[in-house]
Amino acid sequence: MASTGSTTSPEGTGLIGGWARVHPVRAVAVAMILVSLAWRAQLASRGYLAVDDYMLIARAAEAELTPGFLLTLYNNHFMPAALLITWLVTRAAGLAYWPYVLILTAAQAILAVSFARLLRTLVRPGWALLVPLAVFLFSPLTLEATSWWAVGVNMLPMQIAMVLAVGAQVRYVRTGRRRHLVTLALAVLFGLLFFEKALLVVPLVFLLTAFLFVGGPPVRAVLTTVRRYWPSWLLLTGLSLGFLALYGSRAESSLRRPDSLGEVFSFLWQLLGSTVVPGLLGGPWRWLPAGDGAPVTAPPELGRWIAWAAFLVLVVLTVRLRRVAGRAWLLLASYLTLVTALLAATRLGSIYSDVAGAVPRYVSDVVVVAALCIGVALLGLRPAPDRFAPADPAPADRDDADPADTDSDVDAARVDNATTGDQPTGTATADAGDDEEPDRPTAAPEPVTADVQRPADAEPAPRVTVPAAAYRGHGVLHAEYDDDDLPAPVRPPAARPFDAPPQRAGAATRPTPPAAIPPVSPATATGPAGRTVAASGPASPADPHLDRPEQPALPAAFTGGRDPEDPPPPAVLVRHREAVSAGLALALVAAGLGTAWTTARFGDEWAVKAGRTYLDTVRAELAAAPPGTVFFDQPVPGDVVPALSAPYNRQSTFFRALPERPVFVTEAEAPSLFDRTGRITPVRIDGPTVQPGPEQACGWKITDGETARMPLTGPRDDWFWVVRIGYLSSGDSTATFRLGGKEKRFPVKTGLHQIYFEFTGGGDTAELTVADPDVTLCTNEVAVGTPTPQQ
């Protein structure tokens, strides 16, 4: 019996090696994914937590895991799943960074594999499939999402939702199976649990369906899309309305109005000219530091124009070569318009408007759509039957069918069934991503028959069957065809999806003249592209290959990716094919080198983390501090957490997730402070003091329960201050300090002491009273001001 299940080559190559030989494009894609994951993980590990990360962690450290905490908005963002993950990691690892790197890398791995599968489902197979995959895997526009937790916990789930939702819709369009609607709804819901911007997945799915799977003028295409695939829109509309009702009940409006028309044009030029287009082609090549956060784009002027020129050349060439390319680019433009409008409505008119267009994380989701559109423009849509199209009539029912062709096809089918032992079947898989049969049967593959030459006195020659499906085109872009890369060959329907116009069945199934087939053995024959097919009839006993086990046949080479209605390649490209190929190779190498340079420069900027240095110093200082050391609460340095993030920029909040967190007080005899570098220092009050008192060797003398009024060297506004009082007391008691109608009671101890306490008030004269009339207190050291570290 012939062997049919081996995955090793005749040379004894191992399982993985044999698979790579049979599926070289997939093997390279897997290697690219692994390289991108290792590269991104290494780059992320060079950095540390930054800005919003500390706020998310602080909120998780101080809150209990309740529905109220999960449904609380952060910066007007609805992200319960993100808050849940942050809470779990914070309770398990505190301010450690490595768990977040692992989670981001794992999420990127899921996204990369899902995107690669979506590419294989959506576009034709071939080596050119690696181009959009590389754009997605290595785009510098997505580096923030795999390095910065506060960005990645929103953007990576949204991108995963985009990929899964688009894949579910493509399968639903091609098969009509309702289970794909469930996947579609779950994908969108998954994204919304992490980021409200995932609501853009809904218009993306609609636009992709209308542009790529429904033909005709725009208005008719939209109407047809709504009518034909109404279950998708009904489901997504209900889900969107429910989410908007929940989000609107908790969120505040973040819509803004730009200050001027010039601000809008500057934003658009930044977004498109400096970020999106250069970023898709390996840019921006130069970054502008932004503190502890991720850097923003700052491409050189020459690089900006080169990127635009290359992008326009890509658009023009693909539109000239493929009929579907124009719609793919329109899809990208439409989604980019949605993102741009959303950013303009929420970022312009704010303090961030000057750099809003240069922030890559705002458009990292565009990379997913751009990579898909590049794949469609380069390779075209994967051929698949249109479930809404009427079945193509059999050749006997067609006006252009040849009766002889029909008879030959029937005879060949009988011979093939008798030879292989297979029963005739009427189904063919139309869904590239499914293992099950489609809901409706389609016509069985049409065989092509050929007579095998035999001696004149021999028995009648058997007929050899070979596949009738032949794909035409240029092998440079379509060098691989796997059995599961395309659905089983079926009779082309009368109407096909947009990228697969109808073909004449008679031409595809016409028998090959016997003279065109070389003599072969009656036992086996070789079909197109090296396929071995069986022939019926008695075999010659002298055949030396009779008892030799049959070797597994390699998949046929996929040599076609062009449709009959695609415009012909420009003559200049045909005449100068070698020069064009060299130019394309040079462009790809330049883009790869530019991407490597940009990524390395991003890593250099990301590795500079003031927050990490600050925390490392604080940990070392706390370990060496004597027992009982207490601290006054102060803001952390502005380059670690900006003042706009108050109250989450306070040290008491910032250090809450530390296992050895410091003790913060509002009153103490000898409090300490952390300076800007994280070192522990004593407290010094920076502010006005009381004028010297009249009593010799005492200053201001408070006795017999009387109140001393002590003028300050300068007035104090009504604000939050710290008061220091150094005194000499004859006994223990309680004293009261007053300033501007506000007062503070504090304990007094016998002897020479000092006390610091927080105070809210203002004025130009301080008052001090001792509760026990028998206790005398002398002081000349009263200061009202801001606590600062002693130098």
Side-chain angles (χ1 to χ4, degrees):
M1 179 178 294
S3 172
T4 59
S6 174
T7 57
T8 59
S9 66
E11 291 80 2
T13 308
L15 180 65
I16 297 178
W19 175 84
R21 281 168 48 88
V22 177
H23 308 284
V25 175
R26 291 197 212 174
V28 175
V30 170
M32 290 171 59
I33 291 174
L34 294 177
V35 169
S36 71
L37 293 176
W39 196 2
R40 288 176 180 269
Q42 186 275 335
L43 182 144
S45 62
R46 295 179 61 188
Y48 195 71
L49 303 169
V51 193
D52 293 89
D53 296 343
Y54 296 117
M55 291 178 277
L56 291 173
I57 292 173
R59 292 181 56 176
E62 68 184 6
E64 297 296 328
L65 188 58
T66 61
F69 165 71
L70 296 178
L71 297 178
T72 301
L73 272 61
Y74 172 73
N75 282 350
N76 224 27
H77 294 314
F78 182 79
M79 41 190 287
L83 295 179
L84 173 61
I85 296 176
T86 305
W87 190 93
L88 294 174
V89 175
T90 299
R91 293 307 173 99
L95 284 169
Y97 180 54
W98 63 266
Y100 298 105
V101 175
L102 290 180
I103 294 174
L104 292 176
T105 303
Q108 178 66 18
I110 296 173
L111 176 59
V113 173
S114 301
F115 183 83
R117 292 195 59 202
L118 176 58
L119 273 180
R120 294 183 60 246
T121 300
L122 185 64
V123 304
R124 297 174 180 271
W127 284 105
L129 183 142
L130 300 178
V131 175
L133 182 62
V135 170
F136 172 77
L137 292 178
F138 299 100
S139 174
L141 298 180
T142 58
L143 292 175
E144 284 185 75
T146 53
S147 304
W148 191 352
W149 172 250
V151 176
V153 75
N154 294 144
M155 293 308 307
L156 287 177
M158 177 183 173
Q159 293 176 10
I160 293 174
M162 294 172 69
V163 172
L164 296 180
V166 169
Q169 178 66 10
V170 169
R171 289 176 171 86
Y172 173 67
V173 166
R174 289 178 171 174
T175 67
R177 297 193 183 111
R178 296 298 177 91
R179 65 183 177 89
H180 296 307
L181 293 178
V182 177
T183 305
L184 175 63
L186 291 178
V188 175
L189 181 61
F190 172 79
L192 291 176
L193 290 176
F194 285 89
F195 197 17
E196 73 280 355
K197 189 182 177 183
L199 205 61
L200 288 180
V201 176
V202 175
L204 170 63
V205 169
F206 181 87
L207 291 171
L208 182 137
T209 305
F211 276 115
L212 301 185
F213 293 99
V214 177
V219 175
R220 189 174 69 185
V222 170
L223 295 178
T224 303
T225 303
V226 174
R227 174 182 53 83
R228 181 176 292 182
Y229 307 110
W230 63 267
S232 292
W233 319 136
L234 181 63
L235 182 65
L236 293 180
T237 300
L239 186 61
S240 301
L241 293 177
F243 175 79
L244 287 175
L246 175 62
Y247 180 71
S249 65
R250 311 184 71 85
E252 299 178 358
S253 176
S254 57
L255 297 180
R256 301 177 184 272
R257 180 178 299 177
D259 296 331
S260 65
L261 190 60
E263 183 182 6
V264 176
F265 286 131
S266 176
F267 164 73
L268 293 177
W269 176 241
Q270 271 189 343
L271 186 71
L272 300 178
S274 300
T275 304
V276 174
V277 173
L280 292 176
L281 298 176
W285 309 287
R286 188 173 65 191
W287 299 95
L288 185 65
D292 257 19
V296 297
T297 60
E301 196 67 19
L302 179 61
R304 189 199 323 258
W305 289 111
I306 291 177
W308 266 99
F311 182 75
L312 292 178
V313 168
L314 175 64
V315 172
V316 171
L317 284 180
T318 53
V319 170
R320 180 63 183 85
L321 292 173
R322 286 202 179 277
R323 198 168 60 100
V324 74
R327 292 202 167 206
W329 296 122
L330 286 176
L331 170 61
L332 175 59
S334 300
Y335 185 78
L336 186 56
T337 300
L338 291 176
V339 174
T340 302
L342 180 62
L343 286 175
T346 56
R347 292 295 182 268
L348 296 186
S350 68
I351 60 176
Y352 303 108
S353 60
D354 290 341
V355 296
V359 180
R361 64 178 176 271
Y362 292 157
V363 292
S364 60
D365 53 312
V366 175
V367 176
V368 177
V369 183
L372 288 177
C373 293
I374 290 173
V376 173
L378 287 177
L379 292 137
L381 289 174
R382 183 173 186 161
D386 186 356
R387 64 187 179 91
F388 288 97
D392 192 35
D397 299 331
R398 296 173 58 96
D399 295 336
D400 59 347
D402 188 343
D405 296 343
T406 305
D407 295 338
S408 300
D409 293 344
V410 173
D411 293 340
R414 292 173 179 172
V415 171
D416 186 57
N417 290 333
T419 303
T420 61
D422 295 335
Q423 297 298 325
T425 179
T427 60
T429 302
D431 180 13
D434 297 321
D435 297 327
E436 301 177 1
E437 296 296 330
D439 295 337
R440 55 185 296 180
T442 57
E446 285 290 339
V448 175
T449 62
D451 290 328
V452 180
Q453 296 183 4
R454 295 177 55 82
D457 57 348
E459 296 182 4
R463 306 175 76 82
V464 180
T465 62
V466 296
Y471 300 92
R472 298 172 291 119
H474 303 278
V476 173
L477 296 183
H478 307 279
E480 183 190 61
Y481 168 45
D482 295 329
D483 286 333
D484 57 348
D485 273 339
L486 290 175
V490 296
R491 182 189 302 278
R496 301 282 297 280
F498 178 79
D499 192 47
Q503 303 180 24
R504 296 177 61 86
T509 59
R510 189 176 300 278
T512 305
I517 305 297
V520 293
S521 168
T524 60
T526 303
R531 279 201 182 275
T532 301
V533 294
S536 60
S540 173
D543 187 352
H545 302 285
L546 182 61
D547 298 327
R548 181 174 299 176
E550 179 184 348
Q551 296 294 333
L554 296 177
F558 181 67
T559 59
R562 295 187 57 79
D563 296 313
E565 294 189 12
D566 278 345
V572 65
L573 298 182
V574 177
R575 287 196 303 266
H576 305 284
R577 178 174 299 177
E578 294 182 358
V580 172
S581 299
L584 291 176
L586 182 61
L588 291 176
V589 171
L593 293 177
T595 300
W597 173 266
T598 301
T599 303
R601 301 290 72 76
F602 179 93
D604 293 341
E605 297 293 342
W606 181 248
V608 179
K609 286 288 175 285
R612 174 176 52 195
T613 303
Y614 181 73
L615 274 172
D616 289 344
T617 305
V618 167
R619 288 190 176 103
E621 290 284 306
L622 288 175
T629 303
V630 295
F631 300 86
F632 272 157
D633 194 9
Q634 295 290 293
V636 299
D639 55 354
V640 177
V641 180
L644 290 175
S645 302
Y648 295 103
N649 67 328
R650 306 293 295 183
Q651 293 172 350
S652 57
T653 303
F654 182 81
F655 296 130
R656 188 179 293 272
L658 283 177
E660 66 283 2
R661 59 179 177 267
V663 177
F664 291 93
V665 296
T666 60
E667 178 182 309
E669 287 193 18
S672 299
L673 290 179
F674 292 105
D675 64 10
R676 288 190 55 84
T677 65
R679 295 172 53 249
I680 298 176
T681 65
V683 177
R684 179 178 65 87
I685 301 300
D686 184 12
T689 61
V690 298
Q691 299 178 4
E695 296 289 335
Q696 186 71 23
C698 182
W700 296 97
K701 186 175 182 180
I702 300 97
T703 187
D704 298 330
E706 297 179 355
T707 299
R709 297 177 56 85
M710 302 171 290
L712 299 176
T713 56
R716 292 275 79 176
D717 295 331
D718 193 350
W719 195 243
F720 305 99
W721 308 109
V722 171
V723 176
R724 175 188 177 271
I725 300 177
Y727 63 89
L728 176 63
S729 176
S730 63
D732 296 341
S733 184
T734 300
T736 302
F737 175 82
R738 300 181 185 88
L739 181 64
K742 306 291 179 61
E743 64 179 37
K744 166 70 177 178
R745 295 173 63 86
F746 62 92
V748 173
K749 296 181 180 180
T750 303
L752 185 63
H753 295 277
Q754 67 176 2
I755 189 168
Y756 295 78
F757 54 83
E758 294 180 354
F759 184 83
T760 302
D764 57 4
T765 302
E767 297 180 358
L768 190 61
T769 303
V770 178
D772 189 349
D774 295 331
V775 173
T776 300
L777 184 145
C778 293
T779 181
N780 228 6
E781 299 180 6
V782 177
V784 181
T786 303
T788 58
Q790 288 188 8
Q791 300 300 329

